[in-house]
Amino acid sequence: MTEYKLAVIILNYNSWKLTINFIKKQLLNISLPKNTRIIVVDNNSSNDSLEHLEKLKIKYNYVLLSSNENNGYASGNNIGLKWAFDNGFEYGLVANTDIIFENSEDINKMLSIFKMDSRVGVVSPRVFTSSGVEMNRNLFRPSVYDLTFGKIRYRKKGRTLPSELRGKNNDYCYNYRPQGCCMIVDLKKMNSINYMDEHTFLYMEEPILAEKLLRKRIKGACCLNVKIIHNHSTTVQSIAKQRQIYKWQNASEVYYYKKYRHFNYLEIKLCTAFTALYFYTLRKLKKFN
């Protein structure tokens, strides 16, 4: 049986109860490799989270790291990923505290894909909403049309699986964008691309990571045998108002379009206009599921 050295990275900001609940009810109730270490990164919480996490780290057996400032999601997770790589771990599971594993072997199934295909640098599961709707698997690199007028079509297209994207067996397929709520990364490959881009505070980390991997010809994969539930954005919305969330989203999108996709001015304006329409109108109507 293959042994994996796995580090589980949990990013905490003002939500120590959610973090402990996730460790207790999810991580401690599923099958993890023998050489697994849980790493909690407190992203400069403004409440008493760090104090509580310090008191509980022995009871729940995790490494506690902390940042002196909150520079966002990518920066916070990089603290844990870099620590894991420097301490000899092979893989890093980046996980939100609002996900639910359906099967005790989910992590082992995802890890097995790295041994099947050496080109893979990140593995994600299939992700479902709490109402049972599968979210976009993001199998294809989106065009300007996909990000604007073809947005609905693109989301539906992401749920189909053409033969050219299938892996060596029916256990996985290749995809463009990983699922940031739950993804396992090859730490050696992450180190080779200098980890996640820290220029964004929140949102668009996954497509940016996808682009960085593409430049090194590293593939992303979706594990077709693993399904998780994600109560999407529950943590974010509990600590930030809607207007601020949109500002983060917009700034991150513009950075991705300019830096990684090289869209021109009009293309960027068009894409961000559709995002605004989605965010303020269609999102409220609970469409695009």
Side-chain angles (χ1 to χ4, degrees):
M1 182 177 178
T2 303
E3 286 293 336
Y4 304 92
K5 292 200 69 176
L6 175 70
V8 181
I9 316 298
I10 305 172
L11 187 62
N12 179 86
Y13 178 73
N14 289 353
S15 56
W16 70 271
K17 290 182 180 179
L18 290 175
T19 296
I20 295 300
N21 188 64
F22 177 68
I23 294 173
K24 183 167 57 174
K25 293 189 176 181
Q26 293 295 314
L27 295 181
L28 298 184
N29 285 298
I30 61 174
S31 177
L32 294 170
K34 182 179 179 180
N35 297 312
T36 296
R37 201 79 167 103
I38 299 172
I39 303 167
V40 176
V41 180
D42 185 74
N43 213 9
N44 195 34
S45 292
S46 60
N47 62 9
D48 57 358
S49 279
L50 185 58
E51 179 183 345
H52 285 286
L53 291 171
E54 184 68 41
K55 290 178 180 178
L56 293 167
K57 68 180 183 180
I58 295 177
K59 180 178 180 180
Y60 293 106
N61 192 28
Y62 56 79
V63 174
L64 178 60
L65 307 175
S66 62
S67 176
N68 293 325
E69 54 185 333
N70 184 355
N71 290 317
Y73 176 86
S75 176
N77 278 302
N78 276 348
I79 292 173
L81 292 170
K82 291 175 181 178
W83 185 95
F85 178 76
D86 290 342
N87 284 272
F89 288 86
E90 298 174 282
Y91 304 101
L93 166 62
V94 175
N96 283 18
T97 57
D98 54 2
I99 63 171
I100 299 172
F101 296 103
E102 289 196 337
N103 187 288
S104 63
E105 292 297 322
D106 283 346
I107 300 304
N108 291 319
K109 289 178 182 178
M110 292 171 67
L111 282 167
S112 68
I113 294 172
F114 290 104
K115 300 303 181 184
M116 295 179 197
D117 196 329
S118 61
R119 297 174 297 174
V120 171
V122 56
V123 176
S124 305
R126 294 172 64 188
V127 181
F128 292 76
T129 66
S130 56
S131 59
V133 177
E134 184 171 9
M135 299 174 68
N136 190 354
R137 297 182 198 172
N138 297 282
L139 302 182
F140 308 94
R141 189 175 190 240
S143 64
V144 172
Y145 178 77
D146 293 328
L147 295 165
T148 54
F149 298 101
K151 207 173 185 76
I152 296 176
R153 174 182 170 274
Y154 176 73
R155 292 176 70 88
K156 290 180 179 179
K157 185 180 178 182
R159 296 189 180 104
T160 62
L161 182 55
S163 59
E164 66 267 21
L165 291 182
R166 290 188 179 273
K168 295 179 180 178
N169 52 37
N170 291 324
D171 292 334
Y172 70 100
C173 67
Y174 299 117
N175 64 355
Y176 168 67
R177 195 197 81 173
Q179 298 284 359
C181 65
C182 180
M183 60 181 181
I184 302 180
V185 299
D186 181 317
L187 289 170
K188 186 174 182 180
K189 289 182 172 67
M190 287 294 287
N191 184 68
S192 74
I193 64 169
N194 196 28
Y195 301 92
M196 299 173 72
D197 189 321
E198 299 183 8
H199 284 85
T200 61
F201 185 79
L202 195 62
Y203 299 114
M204 303 303 289
E205 299 89 0
E206 300 100 324
I208 290 173
L209 176 57
E211 291 294 322
K212 295 187 74 173
L213 293 170
L214 276 174
R215 292 177 179 183
K216 289 279 189 175
R217 297 185 179 179
I218 300 170
K219 288 186 173 292
C222 174
C223 184
L224 300 173
N225 296 326
V226 174
K227 304 176 183 179
I228 68 162
I229 297 171
H230 183 205
N231 295 317
H232 194 63
S233 297
T234 299
T235 304
V236 173
Q237 292 181 17
S238 68
I239 61 174
K241 294 182 179 179
Q242 188 171 1
R243 183 173 294 181
Q244 180 60 66
I245 292 173
Y246 173 70
K247 287 182 179 179
W248 288 331
Q249 174 80 36
N250 184 70
S252 298
E253 281 197 22
V254 170
Y255 178 72
Y256 165 69
Y257 298 146
K258 284 184 177 179
K259 170 77 174 179
Y260 289 94
R261 301 302 306 275
H262 307 296
F263 289 175
N264 62 41
Y265 176 81
L266 290 178
E267 289 172 332
I268 293 172
K269 284 294 183 182
L270 188 60
C271 290
T272 54
F274 269 80
T275 295
L277 178 66
Y278 162 67
F279 192 91
Y280 285 114
T281 306
L282 298 176
R283 195 168 188 256
K284 291 182 180 180
L285 296 175
K286 297 182 180 180
K287 293 184 178 180
F288 282 78
N289 286 329

